[in-house]
Amino acid sequence: MELPNPVLTASGCGGTGRELAQFSDVARLGAFTTRSITMAPRAGRPTPRMAETPSGLLNAVGLQGPGVDAFLQHELPWLVERGTRIVVSIGGGTAAEYAALARRLADVPGITAIEVNLSCPNIEDRGRVFAREGSAAAEVIASVRAATRYDVPVIAKLSPDVADVVAVARACVDGGADALAMINTPVGMSIDVDTMRPALAAGTGGLSGPAVRPLAVRCVWQVHAALPGVPIVGMGGVTTGRDALELILAGACAVAVGTALFNDPYACPRILRELEELLQRRGLDRLADAVGLAHRPAGSQQRTRTDLEESSL
Amino acid sequence: MELPNPVLTASGCGGTGRELAQFSDVARLGAFTTRSITMAPRAGRPTPRMAETPSGLLNAVGLQGPGVDAFLQHELPWLVERGTRIVVSIGGGTAAEYAALARRLADVPGITAIEVNLSCPNIEDRGRVFAREGSAAAEVIASVRAATRYDVPVIAKLSPDVADVVAVARACVDGGADALAMINTPVGMSIDVDTMRPALAAGTGGLSGPAVRPLAVRCVWQVHAALPGVPIVGMGGVTTGRDALELILAGACAVAVGTALFNDPYACPRILRELEELLQRRGLDRLADAVGLAHRPAGSQQRTRTDLEESSL
Amino acid sequence: MAGSPVQVTGTVLTTRRVDAYHALTVVAPGIADRCRPGHFVTASVGGPNTSMLTRRAFAVHDVKPDYGGTVELVFGVRGPGTAWLADLRARDTLDLVGPLGRPFPLPRDPCTCVLVGGEYGSASLFALADALQARGCRVDFVLGAPSADRVFGALRARRMGETTTLTTEDGSLGMRGKVTDVLPGVIADARADAVYACGPMDMLRGVTAVAVEFDIPVQVAVEERMACGIGVCMTCVLPVIGDDGVTRMVRACTDGPAFRGERVRFEDVGTIPFDALGAPGGRHA
Amino acid sequence: MAGSPVQVTGTVLTTRRVDAYHALTVVAPGIADRCRPGHFVTASVGGPNTSMLTRRAFAVHDVKPDYGGTVELVFGVRGPGTAWLADLRARDTLDLVGPLGRPFPLPRDPCTCVLVGGEYGSASLFALADALQARGCRVDFVLGAPSADRVFGALRARRMGETTTLTTEDGSLGMRGKVTDVLPGVIADARADAVYACGPMDMLRGVTAVAVEFDIPVQVAVEERMACGIGVCMTCVLPVIGDDGVTRMVRACTDGPAFRGERVRFEDVGTIPFDALGAPGGRHA
Ligand SMILES: Cc1cc2nc3c(=O)[nH]c(=O)nc-3n(C[C@H](O)[C@H](O)[C@H](O)COP(=O)(O)OP(=O)(O)OC[C@H]3O[C@@H](n4cnc5c(N)ncnc54)[C@H](O)[C@@H]3O)c2cc1C
Ligand SMILES: Cc1cc2nc3c(=O)[nH]c(=O)nc-3n(C[C@H](O)[C@H](O)[C@H](O)COP(=O)(O)OP(=O)(O)OC[C@H]3O[C@@H](n4cnc5c(N)ncnc54)[C@H](O)[C@@H]3O)c2cc1C
Ligand SMILES: Cc1cc2nc3c(=O)[nH]c(=O)nc-3n(C[C@H](O)[C@H](O)[C@H](O)COP(=O)(O)O)c2cc1C
Ligand SMILES: Cc1cc2nc3c(=O)[nH]c(=O)nc-3n(C[C@H](O)[C@H](O)[C@H](O)COP(=O)(O)O)c2cc1C
Ligand code: FES
Ligand code: FES
């Protein structure tokens, strides 16, 4: 899978693509990642759905969306027409539902990759989130992999709030994941001390933004160290080219931008520009030369060996 | 266990007590929590040991300290003399080592509680941190509980980077913990994009400060909901009375202040003052009336029943 | 929409206090050009290295052609973001995105409109009144707030409106009570054809009920917590009934903020109505 | 320590550029009173709602009695914290904690001292020179930096010092080279009894080596990344040999920043020497 550049939108943060297109050309994105598409339409969670925290954002949108049929009818074609690289994120409550979604997408042209949002509650395991447990995650990935065309990569999206992210990553790769995306939002909460009630209607929510970047860098670092051959899409608090480079040096070969889009709708092209400048200033001609570079032993010269293709997922 | 007030210092953030005493009276603290004391002296990790992240701080001090003997000889007596309430934090590499520490402290007068730092690598389990796994954590707690005088509470300090903090909390309580402290720092990382190396010599470090407060509030909330009778010391990013109240409304009956001390050495008395004012303005005469108040069903009247004593751990 | 939104690093031209509110005039040509009544803008707050990530939304109070185009925002200090804005001084820069949202639709033919504003909500009504009067409409104002210092724009309303009725809950200005107490009388006296309203959700609900009672159309501009303002985050939704009779959770920022009042399910704001499209266990799920 | 440190919300009196550096004079009575040469202060940066949590450490350049007491800091812009400080204007407030650290010990009897400053490190040497001269000491300066604009205080050194020798790596001012290239000559010519040095770690290492060569005492003021500056966080440690010959990881902020040069294990800074107290697998563990 080749991308025009390594800066993607993060799932659930770029709307349908049309909204961002008011600001800049979506075909110029490394890829547009859709919100997590579900089988049936979903109204999501009640409001308030957002709360600001220090350098962070809590959200509990609850995968609001029109369902896969309406998505294929009204949202995907528009993106395809524009020549956008499209990563379709999918979410479900059982492995079977993920597989059914993958089957529904299998014959649809124009899909660059399937990203499996594993931060959904497993309705067969008392609502425990798939990403929390390697075997549940692997089962989902295997069923999606089996239902997806061989030439469409399946990306497993992991969450940082587990005891051992490497174990979950390894399980997903063993289950057939072609690449990994991390991090999804860890679960957080905020309480309004004036109303003395949770700030979000849903109580807890996902924490995103620069506050979680150290967790994202750590996850990418650990997984890249353990599974150096597996492409990683890094995300979590990327707001500048420096942040993107941080994740790349940790081992990501592409980055996704989420919360930063809310403050700066031009974030993706800006971050790409900044990243390219930083790479150039460091004499890193190819992005691949920078991937995982911070892992080289202290004091050693710049890595020359490259085991990853430019922007390949 | 009665404390003069609900604002404590967090382990590893108040030095030996003498340094803070230059700014305000340590006897006025709810309690002074020591850095985690180890059996032998420890030199800790190489520098750089700190890196700033957005609204957060990464540290990798590595439990530098003089060892339990020197602690008992040079540090504890000074605190006892001043009439300070003292929570002694302990850290070890095996359950047996924790137990040995607890025995060493058992006959020492002036210790208000033992806090067990479970975020230490278990040298018998390939360095896996105790707090990551309920049974390992419970084993440590049980051995410390057995070695500690019946009237000295044992507090289990938990970490947020687990798949299910409630399961670990429950295991610790079943193992004999009288109270819980949360959160210890989740593992994070930062890479210096100029040197293209990890910002910390140790690579990864613990993330603290307001960035992690949403994780702390969530952990306290979840554990209080599951184990409403268990006293919780809340911590993680408390910098103001509002932050303290947030954790209290989530279910903490006391709060500890860590990173905020680095910016404001007067943080503890200031936060206490701000907290008292906030409680008063809300007509909450007793702190106990506020503990867990955000859990009441939406729209219900203020809780009047109280199942927790004021500032009791 | 009158052209697509842009991001502009504006310069603060003037700041002033207006009773309980602060008003900022910002030079922001690209935005000013495109603004229509009911549009809003979002401001980045806190400056470099701030811990505040999300933009704050504000109705555009006034647009002027000076310096290539200025917009004026009127706001009360609620939390840290508005506190930061209140500290801005002339010549500081302010990063704005706009114009955003669906502006107020205007009647095709001249008619009589009652414009109802609650607190700072009235800020967006004067540009609307201008546009209506330019189309030959008669405009009557009803402005209310808890207290006199929080009624915004009374003088200007008096200058512009055929009639202006003020209410305060504490009686410190105009009639004691709420705008909904006086609205039926105003509608009746003016023989109003339509109502526009902007203010707190409770007020919009009450105003809508009155308009429905009189069987005249009502446009309300709603306020919901917004993380992006541009339609990508889905945090600002509220239940609105579509042309097909189906309730959907629609975005206040891009499907609104102006809605036909009777389409907004005010009683259900903050919930997912069981019959909304995609509601848990609902018929469409 | 000359009294314990305090927190002061100071007011910026003046700001000025000095070549590559910024200088801030801050009214901070409680701190100014207590400062002795070699003390440092920490500044809270970023203002309300900032994402920057830790204070930044700066040597106190000058203390004056004006307005109850002022301190002057001299700094280069390195990252976002110093960039924020560089933007401060007169009348802004600045939150300072100080005085912090162990100041330079002064000789009991009059003697000849060479004061060596690298880059902004020379900032803390002038108060020291004052104190030394007040005790009847002779003072000679050696100041160096990579380039002329980064040599701080050359004029003042020329006024105060018996001799002043300047070095720059690019030769743009004084001798081309490093302070350590000229230091042996200065020590020999002045028949110096002691050396004081402040600057980058590499320079301190070199200066210490020279002083050891001459068998004269040397005091160095070190810089380490600090999260607290008050001795509670243990992030600022470096390996220093104690009176008992045991190497300990000691805090730069409270055990230093001034140390006897020969006691600092410069080659091992950034590591835990295997023979340090409590080193992993070490003999004391
Ligand atoms: C379309 C629209 C137009 C508005 N016009 C005006 C106006 O003209 N004048 C005015 O004073 N206020 C207006 N508001 C409300 C204004 O956006 C909030 O008062 C402001 O965001 C509060 O920010 P804060 O940091 O002071 O408060 P905080 O409560 O600390 O804000 C925290 C977070 O919640 C969000 N938030 C809080 N309250 C609101 C709210 N009511 N609406 C949307 N987001 C909120 C903020 O954007 C921020 O992300 C408008 C809101 C919307 C949606
Ligand atoms: C005792 C002492 C005295 C100092 N005196 C001066 C002085 O007089 N003039 C001057 O220009 N600089 C001085 N420094 C260095 C100054 O503290 C740093 O340049 C400054 O902290 C950088 O902050 P920043 O936000 O610009 O950079 P960043 O690199 O973004 O800072 C990030 C974090 O690292 C810490 N940090 C980074 N570099 C240093 C450093 N060298 N020392 C300590 N902490 C660091 C900061 O405190 C902050 O927490 C001194 C340092 C110490 C320890
Ligand atoms: C409002 C919002 C909605 C999101 N929706 C989804 C989603 O539908 N599927 C998904 O996999 N991740 C979702 N995420 C997570 C992001 O894709 C991303 O993993 C996370 O926010 C971290 O990146 P950031 O800090 O750049 O936002 C959402 C995040 C936000 C803030
Ligand atoms: C520099 C530093 C050292 C710490 N040392 C310890 C320690 O020795 N034992 C421990 O249990 N926690 C330690 N912690 C964690 C704190 O006690 C606390 O749990 C955490 O920092 C969250 O609180 P805060 O955000 O208020 O700092 C340390 C934290 C910091 C920042
Ligand atoms: S505020 Fe983001 S969609 Fe409306
Ligand atoms: S900076 Fe915290 S102990 Fe020195």
Side-chain angles (χ1 to χ4, degrees):
Chain A
M1 161 182 174
E2 288 284 311
L3 298 177
N5 71 66
V7 181
L8 289 63
T9 62
S11 178
C13 301
T16 63
R18 285 182 173 89
E19 301 84 358
L20 284 185
Q22 298 183 292
F23 298 94
S24 62
D25 185 357
V26 286
R28 293 267 177 91
L29 292 167
F32 177 83
T33 308
T34 70
R35 50 183 154 182
S36 292
I37 305 299
T38 53
M39 226 35 205
R42 282 173 66 110
R45 296 296 210 143
T47 55
R49 288 177 171 186
M50 66 78 80
E52 210 181 44
T53 67
S55 299
L57 177 71
L58 281 169
N59 88 84
V61 168
L63 299 192
Q64 177 172 351
V68 68
D69 291 335
F71 166 73
L72 290 178
Q73 214 180 327
H74 303 300
E75 298 186 10
L76 190 72
W78 185 89
L79 288 163
V80 173
E81 262 167 42
R82 260 141 211 86
T84 318
R85 298 278 173 156
I86 306 161
V87 177
V88 179
S89 169
I90 57 174
T94 62
E97 195 180 339
Y98 280 98
L101 275 160
R103 272 192 301 277
R104 199 73 191 73
L105 299 170
D107 300 323
V108 178
I111 297 177
T112 306
I114 304 286
E115 182 175 280
V116 186
N117 176 359
L118 293 166
S119 298
C120 299
N122 181 348
I123 58 184
E124 289 169 348
D125 184 16
R126 291 163 303 143
R128 177 143 63 142
V129 160
F130 292 100
R132 298 261 185 285
E133 221 253 302
S135 63
E139 191 195 340
V140 170
I141 295 299
S143 69
V144 171
R145 185 58 278 178
T148 302
R149 264 189 18 215
Y150 75 97
D151 60 344
V152 174
V154 170
I155 307 170
K157 184 162 175 186
L158 308 183
S159 148
D161 31 11
V162 291
D164 185 352
V165 72
V166 171
V168 181
R170 204 183 298 268
C172 288
V173 170
D174 291 346
D178 303 291
L180 301 167
M182 64 192 75
I183 57 173
N184 212 319
T185 52
V187 180
M189 187 172 187
S190 165
I191 292 171
D192 182 324
V193 297
D194 295 319
T195 64
M196 301 201 282
R197 302 275 316 148
L200 301 177
T204 58
L207 184 63
S208 65
V212 305
R213 198 168 62 238
L215 305 182
V217 174
R218 186 261 300 174
C219 287
V220 170
W221 172 276
Q222 289 177 334
V223 171
H224 182 71
L227 304 166
V230 181
I232 298 173
V233 185
M235 69 193 80
V238 173
T239 63
T240 66
R242 291 177 76 85
D243 304 341
L245 182 55
E246 194 182 356
L247 285 168
I248 289 165
L249 293 170
C253 55
V255 298
V257 178
T259 305
L261 289 168
F262 305 165
N263 193 284
D264 177 8
Y266 307 93
C268 285
R270 173 180 54 77
I271 289 167
L272 176 62
R273 207 169 52 240
E274 293 168 352
L275 174 63
E276 283 171 343
E277 219 173 278
L278 289 166
L279 289 170
Q280 208 181 335
R281 252 191 279 141
R282 282 158 184 71
L284 296 162
D285 299 333
R286 291 152 28 96
L287 178 73
D289 297 342
V291 174
L293 195 56
H295 288 263
R296 74 190 189 286
S300 76
Q301 283 314 296
Q302 209 165 284
R303 197 171 66 165
T304 46
R305 184 184 56 91
T306 22
D307 42 22
L308 289 164
E309 276 308 288
E310 179 150 357
S311 314
S312 72
L313 281 184
Chain B
M1 163 180 172
E2 290 284 313
L3 298 178
N5 72 65
V7 181
L8 291 63
T9 61
S11 178
C13 302
T16 62
R18 286 183 171 91
E19 300 83 359
L20 285 184
Q22 297 182 295
F23 298 93
S24 63
D25 185 357
V26 286
R28 294 266 177 92
L29 292 166
F32 177 84
T33 307
T34 69
R35 50 182 154 184
S36 292
I37 304 299
T38 52
M39 228 33 207
R42 281 173 66 109
R45 296 297 212 142
T47 54
R49 288 180 171 183
M50 66 81 78
E52 212 181 42
T53 67
S55 299
L57 177 72
L58 282 168
N59 88 83
V61 168
L63 301 191
Q64 177 173 350
V68 66
D69 291 334
F71 166 73
L72 290 177
Q73 212 181 330
H74 303 300
E75 298 185 11
L76 190 72
W78 185 88
L79 289 162
V80 173
E81 262 167 43
R82 259 139 212 89
T84 318
R85 298 276 173 158
I86 305 160
V87 177
V88 178
S89 169
I90 57 174
T94 62
E97 195 180 341
Y98 281 99
L101 276 161
R103 272 193 302 275
R104 198 73 191 67
L105 299 170
D107 299 322
V108 178
I111 297 177
T112 307
I114 304 287
E115 182 175 279
V116 185
N117 175 0
L118 292 165
S119 298
C120 298
N122 180 348
I123 57 183
E124 289 166 349
D125 185 15
R126 291 163 302 141
R128 178 142 66 140
V129 160
F130 292 100
R132 299 261 185 283
E133 221 255 301
S135 63
E139 192 197 338
V140 169
I141 295 297
S143 70
V144 170
R145 185 60 278 176
T148 303
R149 263 185 24 209
Y150 74 97
D151 59 345
V152 174
V154 170
I155 307 170
K157 182 161 177 188
L158 307 183
S159 150
D161 31 12
V162 291
D164 184 352
V165 71
V166 170
V168 181
R170 203 183 301 266
C172 288
V173 170
D174 291 347
D178 302 290
L180 300 167
M182 64 191 75
I183 56 175
N184 212 320
T185 52
V187 180
M189 188 169 185
S190 165
I191 292 172
D192 183 323
V193 296
D194 295 319
T195 63
M196 301 199 282
R197 301 277 316 149
L200 300 178
T204 58
L207 183 63
S208 65
V212 305
R213 198 167 64 238
L215 305 182
V217 173
R218 185 262 298 174
C219 288
V220 169
W221 172 276
Q222 289 178 333
V223 171
H224 183 70
L227 305 166
V230 180
I232 297 173
V233 185
M235 70 192 81
V238 173
T239 63
T240 66
R242 290 178 78 86
D243 303 341
L245 181 56
E246 194 182 357
L247 284 168
I248 289 165
L249 293 169
C253 57
V255 299
V257 178
T259 306
L261 290 168
F262 304 164
N263 193 283
D264 177 7
Y266 307 92
C268 285
R270 173 179 54 77
I271 289 168
L272 175 62
R273 207 168 54 237
E274 292 168 353
L275 175 64
E276 283 171 344
E277 221 173 276
L278 289 166
L279 290 169
Q280 208 181 336
R281 254 191 276 141
R282 282 158 184 71
L284 295 162
D285 298 334
R286 290 154 27 100
L287 177 73
D289 297 342
V291 174
L293 195 58
H295 287 263
R296 73 191 190 285
S300 77
Q301 283 313 296
Q302 206 166 285
R303 194 173 68 164
T304 47
R305 182 185 59 90
T306 23
D307 42 22
L308 288 165
E309 278 307 290
E310 179 152 357
S311 315
S312 74
L313 282 185
Chain C
M1 245 183 290
S4 47
V6 289
Q7 182 268 329
V8 168
T9 303
T11 303
V12 176
L13 191 63
T14 60
T15 68
R16 58 190 175 103
R17 290 289 315 243
V18 188
D19 295 326
Y21 303 106
H22 297 259
L24 279 182
T25 305
V26 186
V27 181
I31 296 177
D33 285 355
R34 297 175 159 96
C35 270
R36 294 212 323 236
H39 269 139
F40 69 96
V41 296
T42 56
S44 187
V45 294
N49 300 106
T50 179
S51 65
M52 296 188 278
L53 301 186
T54 58
R55 289 175 171 271
R56 270 54 175 174
F58 301 97
V60 175
H61 170 228
D62 240 345
V63 173
K64 293 230 175 76
D66 323 6
Y67 305 94
T70 66
V71 294
E72 187 175 50
L73 319 177
V74 173
F75 61 93
V77 171
R78 182 183 314 216
T82 44
W84 182 85
L85 285 168
D87 273 349
L88 288 180
R89 306 176 228 170
R91 284 192 297 281
D92 286 341
T93 58
L94 182 64
D95 172 347
L96 295 177
V97 169
L100 296 169
R102 211 180 59 98
F104 287 117
L106 301 177
R108 231 158 299 156
D109 305 310
C111 66
T112 297
C113 301
V114 181
L115 276 48
V116 188
E119 310 193 34
Y120 58 77
S122 40
S124 58
L125 298 181
F126 302 105
L128 174 65
D130 266 337
L132 290 170
Q133 289 177 336
R135 298 193 169 207
C137 295
R138 163 179 165 164
V139 169
D140 294 79
F141 282 98
V142 179
L143 307 184
S147 56
D149 62 326
R150 288 167 67 187
V151 176
F152 180 78
L155 273 177
R156 188 151 172 209
R158 286 211 177 95
R159 270 204 310 274
M160 293 186 78
E162 193 72 21
T163 71
T164 292
T165 314
L166 306 176
T167 67
T168 51
E169 284 165 44
D170 65 0
S172 52
L173 180 70
M175 320 273 285
R176 180 190 299 268
K178 306 198 169 199
V179 290
T180 41
D181 297 333
V182 302
L183 182 59
V186 174
I187 291 176
D189 291 353
R191 298 173 189 248
D193 301 299
V195 177
Y196 289 87
C198 190
M201 207 61 98
D202 270 355
M203 183 203 98
L204 300 181
R205 176 188 184 163
V207 168
T208 298
V210 171
V212 167
E213 194 71 26
F214 280 87
D215 196 23
I216 54 175
V218 53
Q219 284 283 338
V220 298
V222 303
E223 216 184 280
E224 259 294 346
R225 285 189 158 245
M226 293 182 173
C228 78
I230 58 169
V232 297
C233 77
M234 303 302 287
T235 61
C236 64
V237 299
L238 72 174
V240 173
I241 303 164
D243 291 336
D244 55 3
V246 176
T247 297
R248 291 182 182 76
M249 301 306 296
V250 307
R251 293 163 297 184
C253 67
T254 39
D255 302 309
F259 290 104
R260 288 171 54 180
E262 71 281 12
R263 293 289 182 84
V264 178
R265 292 177 62 171
F266 289 109
E267 346 54 87
D268 297 322
V269 166
T271 73
I272 306 293
F274 74 96
D275 58 345
L277 179 68
R283 61 194 161 105
H284 301 271
Chain D
M1 249 182 289
S4 46
V6 289
Q7 182 269 328
V8 168
T9 303
T11 303
V12 176
L13 191 63
T14 61
T15 68
R16 59 191 174 103
R17 291 289 315 242
V18 188
D19 297 324
Y21 303 105
H22 297 259
L24 279 182
T25 306
V26 187
V27 181
I31 295 177
D33 285 357
R34 295 177 163 96
C35 271
R36 293 213 323 235
H39 268 138
F40 70 97
V41 297
T42 57
S44 188
V45 293
N49 301 107
T50 180
S51 64
M52 296 187 277
L53 300 186
T54 57
R55 290 176 170 268
R56 270 55 175 174
F58 300 97
V60 176
H61 170 227
D62 239 346
V63 173
K64 292 231 176 75
D66 321 6
Y67 304 94
T70 66
V71 292
E72 188 175 49
L73 319 177
V74 173
F75 60 93
V77 171
R78 179 182 316 216
T82 43
W84 181 86
L85 285 169
D87 273 350
L88 287 180
R89 305 176 230 168
R91 282 191 299 281
D92 286 341
T93 57
L94 182 65
D95 173 346
L96 294 177
V97 168
L100 296 169
R102 211 179 61 98
F104 287 117
L106 302 177
R108 229 158 300 156
D109 305 310
C111 64
T112 297
C113 301
V114 180
L115 274 49
V116 188
E119 308 192 35
Y120 57 78
S122 41
S124 57
L125 298 181
F126 302 105
L128 174 65
D130 265 338
L132 290 170
Q133 289 175 335
R135 296 192 171 205
C137 295
R138 163 178 165 164
V139 170
D140 295 78
F141 282 98
V142 179
L143 307 184
S147 56
D149 62 327
R150 289 167 69 186
V151 175
F152 180 78
L155 273 178
R156 189 150 173 209
R158 286 210 177 96
R159 271 204 311 274
M160 292 186 78
E162 192 75 18
T163 70
T164 292
T165 313
L166 306 176
T167 67
T168 53
E169 285 165 42
D170 66 358
S172 53
L173 181 71
M175 318 275 285
R176 179 190 299 268
K178 304 197 168 200
V179 291
T180 39
D181 298 332
V182 302
L183 184 58
V186 174
I187 291 177
D189 291 351
R191 298 174 189 246
D193 302 300
V195 176
Y196 290 87
C198 190
M201 207 61 97
D202 270 356
M203 183 202 99
L204 300 182
R205 176 188 183 163
V207 169
T208 298
V210 172
V212 166
E213 194 72 23
F214 280 87
D215 196 24
I216 55 175
V218 53
Q219 284 283 336
V220 298
V222 302
E223 218 184 279
E224 259 296 345
R225 285 189 158 248
M226 293 183 173
C228 78
I230 59 169
V232 297
C233 77
M234 302 303 287
T235 61
C236 63
V237 298
L238 73 173
V240 173
I241 303 164
D243 291 335
D244 55 3
V246 176
T247 295
R248 292 182 182 77
M249 300 306 295
V250 307
R251 294 164 297 186
C253 68
T254 39
D255 302 309
F259 290 104
R260 286 170 58 178
E262 72 279 12
R263 291 290 183 82
V264 178
R265 291 178 59 172
F266 288 108
E267 345 56 85
D268 297 322
V269 165
T271 73
I272 306 293
F274 75 96
D275 58 344
L277 180 68
R283 62 192 160 104
H284 303 273

